[in-house]
Amino acid sequence: MLRLSSFTFRLLAVISAALFCLVLLVNLVLAGSLAGVFTVGRDDDPPSIVSCDMPADCTLRSALWKARDQGGDYTILFTAGIHTITLASPLEITANAITVTAEAGQTVFINANNNGPAFHISGSNVRLNNLYIYGSVTGTSNISITGSAQGVVLSNNHIGVYPSDSGGVTCNVSPNSSSGVFIDSSGVVSPGNARAWIYGNHISCNKGTPGHGIDILTDKVIVGADTAGTPHVNYVEANRQHGIRIEGPTASENVIRNSVITDNHNGLVITGTAHHNRVLTNTVGDNTNLGVWLNDAYFNEIQANDIYGHNNTGVQVDGGAHQNAIGSSTVSSAGGNRIHNNAREGIYISDANTYSNTVRANWVGVDGGNGRNGVVLENGTHGNLIGDYLTPGEAAAGRNIIIQSGHNGVIVIHGAHDNHVGGNYIGVTISGTNVLSNAASGISLLLGAHDNTIDQNLIGGNGLYGVVIDGATTSTNTLTLNQIGYHSAAGISLPNRLDGLMLRNGTFGNRIGGIGRKNFIGSNLANGICLTNSAQHNSILANDITANFKYGVLFDGATTTANVISRTAVYLNGLDGIAERNGAVYNIWTEISTYGNVWLGINTQAVDESTHIPHPPTLSITSTQRSTGLISGWASPTSSTLSTKVELYRVARDASGYGE
C-alpha cells in the first residue's frame, strides 16, 4: 500500500492548484477576455448583449457595450479572416480609451446599412484602425465625432468604400453619406492633445448631401500626421461636394497636411468665419470645380501645397475673407504654393468686403500655365498684397513667379482698389533671365481699378503689354521702380510683344515713376509708353525709357491731352523719343533728356511712323541777359487761353539733321 508523507501530499496539492490556475488562464485567453481585450469572432449584429466569454460568442456591438460597462480602456480585436458586419443601428462609443483595430490577417467591413452612422464617437482617446467603414444613412456620416470627444485617432481606414474585385475600390457603397468623417465635438482640449488625428486613411466616395470627405466644425483637428507629428498620407477622393470642409466660428487651429485631395467637386473649403487654420504640403488636384476656397474666413494659412488641374480656379478668396496668407515669406517650393494647370484663374480674390489677404512666394504657372489669369483682384477687393512691400532696392523675399497664363499675369478690375503688387516676376522665370510669357499682358488695371500700387516688379516677355491701364473710371494708380521689358541689373532684354506700358480709353490721374522711384521701361517691341484714346492728366515722372523698338513715348488720338512727362530720360528708341499724332494735344514735357533716338527727340506731328519732320515753335526773341540767363520774347502758338513754355537744352546733331 502506497503511503504519502504529509509533505508530499501538500506538494501535490500545490501542483494541482497551479495546474488548475493554468487551465483557467488558458480558457480566459481563449475567451479573448483578458483584462482590456475583447476578440470578436461573430459577424452578426443582434440587438441584445452576448457574453463575449469566447471569440465565437462575441459581437462587435457587445464588445463595445462590455468595454463601456467596464469603464473603458479596452482593445477590440478580431479573429483571423474576413469579417463583414452589417449593422442594425449605429455603434456608439461613449467610453474612453477604446481601440477597434484589424491586425495582420484580418479584414473587417463595417456596413452602416443605411441605419445612421456606422460609428458615433463621444468618448475620448478612441481609435479606429485599419477598418472598412461605409453605408451611412442620409443626413449622417460614416463616422461622427461629437460631445466632448478629444484624442480620437482615425488611422489607416477606408471610409466610404471597400475593395473591388479588380484591385481598386468600389465607389457605390456610401450613396447617402453626408460625409466620411464629421467632427463637431467641443470643450477644452487638454495641453498637448488634439481633438482628433486623422492619418493614413482613404476617405472616398461619400455621395450623399452634401457629401464631404472630412467635415470639421470644431478646433484642433490634425489631418495627415500621427500623435508624434510624423506625416502619413490621407487620400480624400471622389466625394460628392468638398474633399475637406472647415466651417464655423469655432473651427480654428486645425491643420490639414500631407493629404491627396482629388476628384471631389471642390478640394478644400474654409468658410463661415473659420479662422487660424493651416493647410500645408497637400496635393490638391483635379477636383471638378475649385482647388482651395476661402469664403468669409480669416487668418488662415495656405502654404507649400501643389494645387493643379481644376476646371475652375486654383485658389479662390471671397465673401469677406480677410487677412489670409496664400504662400509664405521665401521664394521656394517649401513655403509658397505651386498653382498651375487650372482651367480658369490661378488665384482669384474678389468682393468689396474681402481685404488684406497676402499672396507671397507662390509659383503660379511654373509647372504649366493657368487657363485664364495668374492672379485676379476684382469687385472692390482692397488692401491685398501680391508679393512684398519694399524699400527701393530691397530684395523681394515674398516674390511670386507668375508665368504662362492664358490671359494676364495679374489683373486688377471692377473697382478693386488700394492693392499692392510688389517685387514679383511676371512673365519671367525664377532666374530673372528667361521668359515664359503670359498670353496677354503682364499686369492689367481695368474697369474702375483705382489707387493700386505696382512697385518693383520685373515684367517681361508678355504676349501683349507689360502693363495696361484702361478705362475712364480707372484712375490714380501708381507704378514705381518696375523694370518693364529689361532686367537692368542683369543687362538682359525681356521684351514684351507690344508696348511696355499702355494707358488708354480715358484713364486718368495715374502716376508713372517719381523722384527716386523711376521705372525702367526698355526693349519692348512697340513703344515704351503709349497714351491713347483720351488718356489724360497722367504723370510720367523721372523714368528711364530706352531702346524700345518704336517710340519712347507716344501720345495718340484726339483728347489724349494734359499728360505730363517730367525729369524723364528718353533715349535710344527706334523712332522718335516723344511723339504726338492723330490729334493728341496739350501734353506737356518738361526737364527731360532725349538723346540717341533714331529720329527726332520730340515730334509733335508724327502723322505715321515714317514721318519725322521737326516742327519747333516759332520764337521771337526780344531780349537776352547773359548775366542772369533770362531770355524774353514770344513763341507760337499763342492765344488768350494757351501759352507755350520754352525750355532750352544743350543738343548734338543727330541722324535727322537736327538735334534732339
Side-chain angles (χ1 to χ4, degrees):
M1 180 177 181
L2 181 63
R3 306 181 71 175
L4 298 177
S5 69
S6 61
F7 172 79
T8 303
F9 184 84
R10 288 195 299 272
L11 178 62
L12 288 175
V14 169
I15 293 172
S16 298
L19 289 173
F20 175 81
C21 291
L22 179 61
V23 170
L24 177 62
L25 179 62
V26 169
N27 286 334
L28 288 172
V29 170
L30 291 175
S33 58
L34 272 173
V37 177
F38 287 112
T39 300
V40 173
R42 284 176 56 173
D43 292 353
D44 59 333
D45 186 35
S48 58
I49 191 168
V50 296
S51 68
C52 282
D53 290 337
M54 298 185 65
D57 189 34
C58 191
T59 68
L60 176 55
R61 187 180 301 277
S62 293
L64 290 171
W65 282 344
K66 285 184 170 292
R68 176 200 62 197
D69 294 342
Q70 294 296 324
D73 196 15
Y74 270 79
T75 296
I76 298 174
L77 306 173
F78 297 85
T79 57
I82 298 173
H83 297 268
T84 300
I85 300 171
T86 302
L87 300 177
S89 63
L91 295 170
E92 302 280 349
I93 302 181
T94 59
N96 298 331
I98 301 295
T99 294
V100 182
T101 181
E103 299 186 331
Q106 304 165 9
T107 303
V108 178
F109 300 97
I110 300 174
N111 180 5
N113 195 33
N114 216 34
N115 287 311
F119 286 95
H120 181 199
I121 300 170
S122 57
S124 294
N125 303 316
V126 171
R127 184 184 183 195
L128 304 180
N129 179 63
N130 200 27
L131 307 170
Y132 290 85
I133 303 167
Y134 56 90
S136 64
V137 72
T138 299
T140 69
S141 304
N142 282 307
I143 299 172
S144 179
I145 302 171
T146 65
S148 59
Q150 60 178 284
V152 175
V153 174
L154 305 179
S155 56
N156 309 309
N157 301 288
H158 286 71
I159 302 171
V161 294
Y162 63 69
S164 69
D165 294 337
S166 62
V169 295
T170 298
C171 197
N172 61 0
V173 294
S174 296
N176 302 312
S177 299
S178 64
S179 60
V181 179
F182 173 83
I183 310 173
D184 191 25
S185 56
S186 60
V188 177
V189 175
S190 59
N193 205 356
R195 189 75 61 192
W197 286 273
I198 302 173
Y199 60 88
N201 302 282
H202 287 73
I203 304 173
S204 307
C205 301
N206 297 283
K207 298 292 189 179
T209 302
H212 308 319
I214 303 174
D215 200 4
I216 301 172
L217 278 67
T218 186
D219 62 339
K220 296 182 175 63
V221 175
I222 310 300
V223 176
D226 62 21
T227 57
T230 304
H232 300 268
V233 175
N234 290 293
Y235 293 89
V236 185
E237 303 171 310
N239 298 287
R240 181 176 182 268
Q241 188 58 259
H242 311 320
I244 299 176
R245 180 180 73 158
I246 303 173
E247 181 174 18
T250 61
S252 66
E253 300 182 67
N254 300 292
V255 179
I256 311 298
R257 58 184 296 198
N258 308 309
S259 295
V260 177
I261 307 170
T262 64
D263 198 31
N264 308 283
H265 182 60
N266 298 307
L268 185 143
V269 175
I270 304 177
T271 187
T273 69
H275 57 94
H276 292 92
N277 301 286
R278 304 184 71 199
V279 179
L280 312 171
T281 63
N282 300 283
T283 297
V284 186
D286 295 322
N287 297 286
T288 59
N289 191 39
L290 302 170
V292 175
W293 185 8
L294 302 177
N295 174 267
D296 188 23
Y298 60 96
F299 286 118
N300 300 286
E301 299 178 10
I302 312 298
Q303 297 182 346
N305 303 282
D306 191 7
I307 303 170
Y308 66 89
H310 300 97
N311 292 337
N312 198 328
T313 291
V315 178
Q316 182 160 311
V317 184
D318 63 9
H322 58 91
Q323 295 163 288
N324 300 286
I326 312 302
S328 73
S329 59
T330 59
V331 182
S332 72
S333 58
N337 303 285
R338 305 175 80 95
I339 303 171
H340 56 99
N341 294 105
N342 299 289
R344 292 174 66 92
E345 273 65 47
I347 301 172
Y348 177 83
I349 304 176
S350 178
D351 298 335
N353 57 346
T354 298
Y355 64 92
S356 297
N357 301 285
T358 62
V359 176
R360 308 184 72 228
N362 299 284
W363 291 11
V364 182
V366 169
D367 300 305
N370 296 288
R372 295 181 62 174
N373 302 288
V375 178
V376 177
L377 300 168
E378 187 172 23
N379 294 332
T381 186
H382 58 279
N384 301 289
L385 171 62
I386 312 301
D388 276 324
Y389 296 109
L390 301 169
T391 58
E394 181 184 359
R399 172 183 300 129
N400 298 288
I401 312 300
I402 305 172
I403 57 177
Q404 300 189 101
S405 305
H407 292 178
N408 303 282
V410 177
I411 184 168
V412 187
I413 191 170
H414 292 135
H417 63 93
D418 292 284
N419 301 289
H420 188 100
V421 181
N424 305 287
Y425 283 2
I426 302 174
V428 181
T429 63
I430 185 66
S431 68
T433 58
N434 296 295
V435 299
L436 281 174
S437 302
N438 298 294
S441 299
I443 300 177
S444 293
L445 297 101
L446 311 174
L447 297 173
H450 64 91
D451 294 290
N452 300 286
T453 299
I454 311 300
D455 178 67
Q456 299 193 57
N457 302 282
L458 178 60
I459 305 167
N462 296 289
L464 296 178
Y465 307 105
V467 178
V468 59
I469 306 177
D470 186 311
T473 58
T474 303
S475 66
T476 54
N477 299 288
T478 300
L479 275 68
T480 51
L481 292 166
N482 300 285
Q483 299 180 72
I484 304 175
Y486 190 78
H487 190 173
S488 58
I492 295 175
S493 296
L494 304 165
N496 297 288
R497 185 177 180 185
L498 297 178
D499 305 314
L501 169 60
M502 165 64 79
L503 297 96
R504 65 188 181 193
N505 295 328
T507 186
F508 66 94
N510 302 288
R511 181 184 177 96
I512 314 303
I515 302 301
R517 305 197 70 86
K518 69 179 180 180
N519 300 284
F520 194 102
I521 304 174
S523 301
N524 298 288
L525 299 182
N527 309 296
I529 302 178
C530 180
L531 300 95
T532 187
N533 294 343
S534 303
Q536 54 191 288
H537 297 282
N538 300 288
S539 301
I540 301 170
L541 309 174
N543 300 281
D544 276 8
I545 304 171
T546 180
N548 298 286
F549 188 75
K550 294 185 178 181
Y551 301 103
V553 180
L554 173 63
F555 300 101
D556 189 11
T559 67
T560 299
T561 183
N563 299 288
V564 176
I565 307 175
S566 178
R567 298 189 180 186
T568 289
V570 187
Y571 56 99
L572 301 177
N573 296 286
L575 298 176
D576 304 312
I578 299 172
E580 285 184 318
R581 70 184 187 191
N582 297 327
V585 292
Y586 306 155
N587 298 292
I588 300 168
W589 38 88
T590 180
E591 299 181 61
I592 61 171
S593 173
T594 67
Y595 61 90
N597 300 291
V598 171
W599 294 104
L600 301 176
I602 299 170
N603 185 352
T604 59
Q605 296 186 35
V607 177
D608 54 45
E609 293 177 4
S610 62
T611 303
H612 312 287
I613 301 171
H615 293 86
T618 300
L619 302 181
S620 298
I621 305 299
T622 59
S623 68
T624 62
Q625 298 182 33
R626 291 180 179 273
S627 61
T628 63
L630 179 64
I631 300 174
S632 300
W634 301 91
S636 63
T638 60
S639 72
S640 61
T641 58
L642 178 67
S643 63
T644 299
K645 179 180 180 181
V646 178
E647 297 178 344
L648 302 183
Y649 295 86
R650 180 179 293 113
V651 298
R653 190 182 298 273
D654 65 8
S656 70
Y658 298 86
E660 292 279 324

